[in-house]
Amino acid sequence: PPGGPSKKKSRKHQRFMERRALLEQKGLLSPRRRLGSQTPVAGLEACSTLPKAGGTTASGCGKVPKPKQVTSPSLSPSASPDSIARHHSVLLSQGDGSSKGVRTSSPLVRMSSALLRPGKYVAIDCEMVGTGPQGRLSELARCSVVNYEGDVIYDKYVQPELPIVDYRTRWSGITKQHMKSAIPFKVAQAEILKILKDKIVVGHAIHNDFQALKYFHPKDRTRDTSRIPVLNQRAGLPVRASVSLKSLARHLLHKKIQVGCKGHSSVEDAQTAMELYRLVEVQWETELARSLPPRPPSPVTDPTTCTSQYMDDRYWPTDVMASSL
């Protein structure tokens, strides 16, 4: 029929331009103009040739349709905790630095935060007793782990490998009575490390806890509240000073911990460390994002490696295809 081939060519070109506009909308493709062509840009209207009944055509203009849900191409549900954390940090670094601006600026930030918070953050605190000559060697006697919301997910007394010489009750809160229900160190160590695996671990002077567990956690997945200058700054204390958990809790959370002579509560200390982390989470993660090395582009998920292949139908989800037709 007359005009058949030209209509097919026009439709193919239209779909190409609409898809290019969608990529530009998402920031996955840099807008560019060529002589004799007009590339639709987000927010502008794009004219299209639409078929009518009877084989005639009519010109119509409409806004480039947006997909109902935009997801990040560099973040998949099966992404590793490290890549999710890094992506979360990068998203935060794109905000204005304020909690309000970052938390509500993009669905990607909210999605990434939702992926991280429920199961990827834990806070830990350990209490030690003295063993060895004159009780100078510190060994684990209690370990508590809480989740992002501060709920206790682990709290057990632990029997040290060496005989206890000093219970240090005034600071540890550990007594001889507690050791009756204690579990062997090796058993506790296996249980705790299973919880910490692939987690982002929060704690105060957390290197002491890891030392008691005879364990080393990856640095990029460790958040030590004793080493955050922004916390000291908020508390009006010297930025580089080593401030106790008790002092930070009093200045920033307006609560008293570690009071009395019955010793510390490892549950309370872990919960306090998590509260302090959440207080400066956005700013801290933003600063961490700046210090992270750049990620190498993925040949599959990074469209800048070859933008032309993304114009092929097989790279487009069904809902996006439907919205662009």
Side-chain angles (χ1 to χ4, degrees):
S6 62
K7 280 200 293 183
K8 183 176 181 182
K9 182 178 180 181
S10 174
R11 183 59 184 158
K12 184 175 181 181
H13 179 71
Q14 176 199 347
R15 291 177 64 189
F16 174 89
M17 300 300 282
E18 288 176 353
R19 290 174 183 176
R20 184 178 183 85
L22 287 176
L23 287 178
E24 290 175 358
Q25 251 182 332
K26 298 181 202 176
L28 302 180
L29 191 65
S30 301
R32 62 178 180 176
R33 293 174 179 269
R34 291 182 179 178
L35 190 62
S37 67
Q38 294 181 352
T39 304
V41 182
L44 300 180
E45 292 189 351
C47 294
S48 60
T49 304
L50 303 176
K52 272 189 175 181
T56 60
T57 60
S59 296
C61 291
K63 289 188 177 180
V64 177
K66 295 182 181 179
K68 293 181 180 179
Q69 183 177 0
V70 178
T71 57
S72 168
S74 60
L75 185 64
S76 65
S78 60
S80 67
D82 283 345
S83 62
I84 294 175
R86 185 188 299 274
H87 185 74
H88 174 60
S89 300
V90 170
L91 289 175
L92 291 175
S93 68
Q94 295 172 352
D96 60 3
S98 66
S99 175
K100 181 179 179 181
V102 173
R103 288 183 188 275
T104 60
S105 61
S106 166
L108 299 180
V109 175
R110 293 193 295 271
M111 176 188 66
S112 186
S113 298
L115 283 171
L116 273 170
R117 292 178 182 170
K120 298 303 177 184
Y121 280 122
V122 295
I124 189 173
D125 188 74
C126 298
E127 300 297 342
M128 278 73 81
V129 293
T131 63
Q134 300 178 351
R136 292 179 180 176
L137 182 63
S138 294
E139 286 199 56
L140 182 67
R142 183 186 180 185
C143 181
S144 303
V145 183
V146 302
N147 63 14
Y148 185 86
E149 301 298 334
D151 302 320
V152 179
I153 57 178
Y154 189 90
D155 182 32
K156 291 185 181 181
Y157 291 98
V158 183
Q159 182 68 53
E161 294 181 302
L162 296 176
I164 299 175
V165 176
D166 184 359
Y167 283 93
R168 304 178 184 174
T169 305
R170 183 176 179 180
W171 296 277
S172 68
I174 305 295
T175 65
K176 188 176 181 178
Q177 188 71 20
H178 292 136
M179 290 299 103
K180 292 181 179 180
S181 60
I183 62 175
F185 172 78
K186 290 293 184 183
V187 175
Q189 183 190 47
E191 293 175 347
I192 297 163
L193 298 193
K194 187 176 180 180
I195 295 173
L196 301 187
K197 183 181 179 182
D198 296 331
K199 299 294 194 302
I200 295 176
V201 184
V202 180
H204 193 83
I206 200 170
H207 60 280
N208 293 324
D209 303 307
F210 291 151
Q211 186 176 3
L213 286 166
K214 299 181 181 179
Y215 168 70
F216 176 79
H217 198 69
K219 185 177 180 181
D220 62 334
R221 281 181 276 169
T222 301
R223 305 291 186 265
D224 191 341
T225 54
S226 70
R227 298 176 180 269
I228 318 177
V230 66
L231 276 175
N232 293 10
Q233 188 177 10
R234 282 202 180 194
L237 302 170
V239 174
R240 297 297 174 185
S242 179
V243 184
S244 67
L245 184 67
K246 181 178 182 178
S247 181
L248 287 173
R250 185 176 69 253
H251 282 88
L252 296 175
L253 304 177
H254 308 291
K255 72 175 187 178
K256 295 180 180 180
I257 63 171
Q258 302 175 355
V259 295
C261 57
K262 292 185 179 181
H264 302 175
S265 165
S266 52
V267 170
E268 183 181 52
D269 289 354
Q271 290 172 334
T272 302
M274 183 60 84
E275 283 186 70
L276 289 171
Y277 169 77
R278 292 175 59 181
L279 190 66
V280 294
E281 176 185 2
V282 173
Q283 188 172 351
W284 193 4
E285 294 296 339
T286 302
E287 292 176 0
L288 285 176
R290 296 192 188 105
S291 65
L292 288 173
R295 294 181 64 190
S298 168
V300 176
T301 59
D302 191 348
T304 59
T305 57
C306 182
T307 56
S308 61
Q309 65 174 325
Y310 281 81
M311 298 305 169
D312 198 319
D313 287 352
R314 61 196 175 99
Y315 288 100
W316 290 82
T318 307
D319 57 338
V320 177
M321 286 285 293
S323 64
S324 64
L325 293 178

